[in-house]
């Protein structure tokens, strides 16, 4: 950029600048500001000054030309003047053309700048409009937030009040429940005492009549043909189990009945079915016990045999009623049978026919048939002398999680993940009743008149088998994984995902006791817990690979068996003899326990 030199008058009036090193700071600041203003003003007027200088040059040239034309004493000729004039005119014309080009370029650039400025102004206007719209929305949102905060504060106050009321009502309900439990316990104790007195009186009367009958002589040849024993399930079972021994007992009772007809009424009273208030148990149910009877179950202490029983994980295990045979079912679609002798498991055979894994196993009370649930939405029944299923019960839309024989042995109950419980007639191999449930069914057990099911909605439901109606619901604290009924059919055991076992008194239909233990954890949604065969203990497998055994009378943990499983224990089984226990896990291992 060109700089403009100062004229002589300006130089005269311009004082030499003081030395910056010796001047004061405010003077140096003023000098810097003056230099900056001088530079800025020179830049603004630079083009004007340049144009002014060109104009002066042109005026000087014009004056020179005019002087040469009109001067009387011209030293040159007219032709020379014309040539110089043409030269100057050509130069001026060339400069005019160049300036016009520059003007056009500047005009085009100015038009672009104007168009860009117009677009920018339009964008600014659009942004201003958007800003106004967003501002209105922000205001509306602020007002809405204030209203919501006011409503939230009101609801919070109401919630605090209701929470306080709920706590008070909960405490009151707990007190009322405790009082009801106490009263129910007292009523049950009185009823039991009354029943025991009546039973003792009946037995005393029966004993007295038997003594009177025994003291009289009787000729068996004179026995009338019309006199016979009352038909009862227990006598029929004794006849089927004991054969000629049962027949000899029947003849003895027949002779006594001829002598004293009242004995028939007494014996008939022992076998007739009774309903004690709202109790779910009956005398006939109590008599529906398996073939074997265990007086005292022995708590196992050590491993006698361990075997990889299946190719994949084992889901179910069950002893036969005579305790000499074990069945295991796994994800590999088969049931394997094992003989037990000398504390060892000996492979006996395989039952196949299922298209998917086995979920549950049960022997019938005679020990001749096996019922199993399967992942292929069906239940299958085998006879022990045939590896092919005798029946396949199909009708569920999802996997069958549990399958049980009913007390009459002519029917089967199945529970499924499709939220139904079905009752099947084995004579027709057809479903005769479907119970719709609102939750996934994990397990079922049966009594004579009731079917009991456990569900994922943390409830145990009691179903009347005759009307398919739900008569009662027992709520728990976790998803139910298994159910088991005591040998005397008076107590129900449930295992749930809240890491606890619940014992329900079926006569009172309320929770009697809760069993927990440090380290016990329910390993899956199908973990099984069982009663001991004498009804004195509870056993269940844990996710840590241990087997836990509780004492029912004390409510305490009786024993934790050593860690022999590598993975979670799915199921346990206790032999009817009370001598052996078997536990199975997800890693296909089956372990036989005993106290010997």
């Amino acid at each position: 950029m060109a700089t403009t030199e100062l004229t002589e008058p300006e130089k005269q009036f311009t004082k030499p600048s003081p030395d910056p090193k010796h001047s004061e700071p405010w003077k140096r600041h003023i000098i810097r500001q003056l230099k900056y203003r001088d530079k800025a003003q020179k830049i603004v007027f630079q083009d004007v000054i340049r144009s002014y200088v060109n104009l002066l040059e042109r005026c000087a040239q014009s004056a020179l030309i005019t002087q040469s034309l009109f001067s009387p004493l011209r030293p040159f000729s007219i032709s020379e003047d014309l040539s110089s004039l043409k030269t100057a005119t050509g130069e001026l014309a060339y400069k005019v053309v160049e300036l016009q080009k520059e003007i056009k370029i500047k005009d085009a650039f100015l038009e672009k700048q104007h168009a860009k400025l117009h677009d920018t102004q339009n964008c600014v206007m659009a942004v201003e409009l958007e800003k106004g719209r967003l501002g209105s929305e922000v205001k509306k949102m602020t007002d809405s937030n204030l209203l919501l905060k006011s409503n939230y504060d009101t609801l919070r106050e109401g919630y605090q009040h209701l929470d306080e009321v709920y706590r008070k009502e909960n405490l009151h309900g707990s007190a009322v429940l405790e009082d009801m439990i106490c009263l129910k316990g007292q009523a049950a104790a009185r009823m039991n005492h009354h029943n025991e007195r009546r039973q003792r009186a009946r037995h005393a009367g029966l004993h007295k009549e038997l003594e009177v009958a025994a003291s009289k002589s009787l000729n068996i040849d004179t026995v009338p043909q019309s006199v016979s024993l009352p038909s009862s399930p227990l006598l029929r079972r004794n006849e089927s189990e004991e054969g000629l021994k049962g027949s000899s007992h029947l003849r003895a009772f027949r002779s006594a009945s001829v002598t004293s007809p009242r004995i028939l009424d007494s014996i008939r009273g022992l076998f007739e079915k009774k309903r004690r208030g709202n109790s779910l148990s009956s005398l006939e149910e109590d008599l529906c016990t398996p073939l074997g009877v265990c007086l005292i179950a022995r708590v196992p202490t050590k491993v006698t045999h361990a075997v990889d029983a299946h190719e994949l994980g084992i889901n179910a295990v069950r002893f036969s009623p005579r305790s000499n045979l074990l069945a295991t079912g796994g994800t590999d679609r088969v049931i394997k049978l094992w003989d037990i002798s000398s504390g060892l498991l000996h492979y006996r055979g395989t039952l196949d026919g299922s298209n998917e894994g086995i979920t549950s196993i049960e022997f019938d009370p005679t020990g001749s048939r096996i019922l199993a649930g399967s992942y292929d939405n069906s239940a299958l029944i085998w006879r022990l002398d045939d590896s092919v299923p005798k029946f396949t019960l199909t009708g569920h839309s999802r996997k069958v999680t549990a399958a049980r024989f009913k007390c009459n042995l002519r029917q089967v109950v199945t529970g499924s993940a499709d939220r139904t419980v079905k009752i099947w007639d084995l004579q027709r191999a057809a479903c005769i009743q479907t119970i719709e449930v609102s939750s996934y069914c994990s397990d079922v057990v049966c009594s004579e008149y009731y079917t009991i099911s456990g569900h994922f909605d943390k409830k145990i439901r009691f179903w009347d088998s005759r009307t398919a109606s739900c008569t009662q619901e027992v709520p728990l604290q976790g998803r139910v994984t298994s159910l088991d009924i005591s040998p005397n059919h008076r107590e129900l055991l449930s295992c749930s995902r809240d890491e606890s076992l619940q014992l329900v008194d079926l006569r009172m239909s309320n929770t009697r006791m809760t069993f927990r233990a440090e380290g016990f954890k329910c390993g899956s949604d199908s973990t099984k817990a069982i009663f001991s065969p004498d009804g004195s203990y509870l056993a269940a497998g844990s996710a840590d690979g241990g087997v836990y055994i509780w004492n029912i009378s004390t409510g305490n943990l009786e024993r934790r068996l050593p860690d022999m499983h590598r993975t979670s224990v799915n199921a346990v089984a206790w032999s009817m003899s009370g001598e052996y226990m078997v536990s199975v896990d997800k890693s296909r291992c089956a372990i036989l326990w005993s106290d010997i």
Side-chain angles (χ1 to χ4, degrees):
M1 180 182 296
T3 58
T4 305
E5 296 182 358
L6 297 176
T7 59
E8 289 297 331
E10 290 176 347
K11 291 181 180 180
Q12 292 178 1
F13 289 102
T14 301
K15 296 181 179 181
S17 61
D19 189 1
K21 296 182 181 180
H22 301 284
S23 61
E24 297 180 1
W26 62 274
K27 292 182 180 180
R28 291 198 300 273
H29 177 69
I30 292 174
I31 292 171
R32 281 197 303 270
Q33 292 295 325
L34 291 174
K35 288 182 179 179
Y36 176 75
R37 188 183 67 178
D38 181 64
K39 185 184 295 185
Q41 289 179 353
K42 282 182 179 180
I43 291 172
V44 172
F45 292 99
Q46 191 70 36
D47 294 336
V48 177
I49 293 172
R50 188 182 297 110
S51 300
Y52 177 72
V53 170
N54 293 332
L55 184 61
L56 289 177
E57 290 177 355
R58 292 174 186 174
C59 290
Q61 290 178 358
S62 300
L64 181 61
I65 293 170
T66 304
Q67 184 178 2
S68 62
L69 289 175
F70 296 100
S71 174
L73 299 174
R74 291 181 297 179
F76 303 101
S77 64
I78 295 174
S79 60
E80 292 178 353
D81 293 339
L82 290 175
S83 62
S84 61
L85 181 60
K86 288 180 181 179
T87 303
T89 304
E91 291 178 356
L92 291 176
Y94 178 74
K95 289 182 178 181
V96 168
V97 171
E98 287 184 348
L99 290 174
Q100 286 178 351
K101 289 182 180 180
E102 290 181 1
I103 290 172
K104 288 181 180 179
I105 294 171
K106 294 291 184 181
D107 289 340
F109 178 74
L110 185 61
E111 288 179 358
K112 291 181 180 179
Q113 292 297 104
H114 280 298
K116 187 175 180 180
L117 178 62
H118 181 69
D119 294 339
T120 305
Q121 288 176 349
N122 292 334
C123 292
V124 169
M125 291 178 64
V127 170
E128 290 292 338
L129 293 175
E130 184 68 16
K131 179 182 177 182
R133 186 182 65 80
L134 293 176
S136 62
E137 290 184 358
V138 168
K139 185 176 180 182
K140 291 180 181 178
M141 189 64 68
T142 303
D143 296 338
S144 177
N145 288 338
L146 292 175
L147 180 61
L148 290 175
K149 187 177 184 304
S150 176
N151 294 336
Y152 169 76
D153 293 337
T154 304
L155 291 174
R156 184 180 178 83
E157 292 177 359
Y159 166 75
Q160 292 175 351
H161 174 69
L162 292 176
D163 186 56
E164 184 67 24
V165 173
Y166 168 74
R167 284 197 295 268
K168 292 180 180 179
E169 292 297 330
N170 195 13
L171 293 175
H172 177 67
S174 300
V176 172
L177 182 60
E178 291 178 359
D179 295 340
M180 290 180 62
I181 292 173
C182 182
L183 293 175
K184 289 286 186 180
Q186 294 174 1
R190 288 195 299 269
M191 182 64 70
N192 291 336
H193 180 67
H194 180 66
N195 290 337
E196 289 175 0
R197 290 181 58 188
R198 291 180 59 187
Q199 192 73 11
R200 285 196 298 270
R202 186 183 296 112
H203 287 172
L206 180 59
H207 182 68
K208 185 176 180 180
E209 290 179 359
L210 287 174
E211 289 180 352
V212 173
S215 63
K216 296 181 180 180
S217 61
L218 177 64
N219 187 2
I220 297 178
D221 296 334
T222 62
V223 176
Q225 297 298 324
S226 61
V227 179
S228 62
L229 273 178
S231 177
S232 67
L234 182 60
L235 295 180
R236 287 196 299 269
R237 187 169 11 159
N238 288 335
E239 290 176 353
S240 64
E241 293 177 7
E242 300 181 3
L244 295 176
K245 183 179 179 180
S247 300
S248 63
H249 288 298
L250 290 179
R251 286 196 297 272
F253 277 110
R254 178 177 296 178
S255 299
S257 66
V258 173
T259 304
S260 179
R262 287 182 297 173
I263 297 178
L264 278 177
D265 298 333
S266 300
I267 295 175
R268 186 179 293 110
L270 290 175
F271 298 115
E272 67 180 357
K273 291 176 287 185
K274 296 181 179 181
R275 302 297 301 275
R276 305 180 184 95
N278 293 328
S279 172
L280 299 178
S281 178
S282 67
L283 187 58
E284 184 168 333
E285 292 172 8
D286 297 344
L287 295 175
C288 291
T289 55
L291 293 176
V293 176
C294 176
L295 298 179
I296 298 177
R298 294 180 291 188
V299 178
T301 57
K302 62 181 181 180
V303 177
T304 62
H305 192 199
V307 61
D308 287 340
H310 286 257
E311 297 179 0
L312 299 174
I314 307 175
N315 300 324
V317 61
R318 186 74 67 174
F319 277 97
S320 68
R322 299 186 184 277
S323 304
N324 61 341
L325 186 65
L326 180 74
T328 58
T331 314
D332 55 0
R333 308 179 182 182
V334 298
I335 294 177
K336 291 190 176 182
L337 303 178
W338 308 84
D339 286 321
I340 301 176
S341 62
S342 303
L344 298 176
L345 295 174
H346 302 280
Y347 174 72
R348 175 173 172 176
T350 299
L351 304 179
D352 52 17
S354 175
N355 297 321
E356 296 291 341
I358 303 298
T359 60
S360 68
I361 296 176
E362 186 178 37
F363 282 90
D364 71 344
T366 65
S368 61
R369 294 182 297 177
I370 290 182
L371 170 65
S374 173
Y375 280 98
D376 65 358
N377 310 339
S378 67
L380 303 96
I381 299 177
W382 289 268
R383 296 188 65 87
L384 292 184
D385 55 0
D386 190 358
S387 63
V388 179
K390 182 178 180 181
F391 297 113
T392 300
L393 307 177
T394 59
H396 286 287
S397 60
R398 295 182 65 183
K399 67 178 180 179
V400 176
T401 55
R404 304 274 187 172
F405 285 103
K406 294 201 72 176
C407 291
N408 56 19
L409 302 184
R410 294 188 299 270
Q411 294 180 348
V412 166
V413 177
T414 58
S416 171
D418 63 2
R419 303 183 179 183
T420 62
V421 175
K422 292 181 179 290
I423 300 177
W424 307 81
D425 186 352
L426 295 183
Q427 294 179 348
R428 295 181 293 168
C431 178
I432 59 175
Q433 193 175 84
T434 299
I435 302 173
E436 300 287 343
V437 196
S438 60
S439 177
Y440 180 111
C441 179
S442 57
D443 202 358
V444 295
V445 292
C446 303
S447 65
E448 183 180 5
Y449 296 115
Y450 286 89
T451 298
I452 308 171
S453 57
H455 301 273
F456 272 20
D457 61 356
K458 307 178 184 179
K459 290 182 181 180
I460 300 174
R461 292 178 170 86
F462 296 83
W463 305 92
D464 191 331
S465 299
R466 295 163 293 188
T467 61
S469 61
C470 183
T471 60
Q472 188 175 3
E473 291 184 352
V474 177
L476 300 180
Q477 299 300 318
R479 295 199 303 266
V480 180
T481 65
S482 73
L483 297 176
D484 193 24
I485 198 163
S486 63
N488 59 8
H489 282 224
R490 293 178 180 175
E491 294 172 323
L492 178 70
L493 173 65
S494 67
C495 180
S496 56
R497 291 309 297 268
D498 63 341
E499 328 305 348
S500 70
L501 275 64
Q502 299 284 339
L503 194 64
V504 179
D505 190 339
L506 294 181
R507 293 169 296 181
M508 301 298 297
S509 301
N510 59 357
T511 301
R512 177 183 141 186
M513 193 177 296
T514 301
F515 297 86
R516 298 180 185 273
E518 183 179 358
F520 175 74
K521 186 176 181 181
C522 191
S524 69
D525 290 336
S526 59
T527 300
K528 307 297 182 184
I530 60 169
F531 280 99
S532 65
D534 64 348
S536 300
Y537 301 98
L538 307 176
S542 174
D544 60 2
V547 177
Y548 291 74
I549 302 174
W550 289 268
N551 190 314
I552 294 179
S553 59
T554 63
N556 298 326
L557 182 67
E558 183 75 15
R559 185 180 300 276
R560 182 186 184 278
L561 299 181
D563 291 336
M564 297 299 296
H565 291 280
R566 300 183 297 273
T567 58
S568 174
V569 178
N570 283 336
V572 292
W574 211 319
S575 65
M576 285 301 302
S577 64
E579 183 180 0
Y580 295 107
M581 176 187 289
V582 172
S583 56
V584 296
D585 61 25
K586 293 182 178 180
S587 63
R588 70 188 181 181
C589 181
I591 296 179
L592 182 65
W593 305 85
S594 178
D595 64 338
I596 301 175

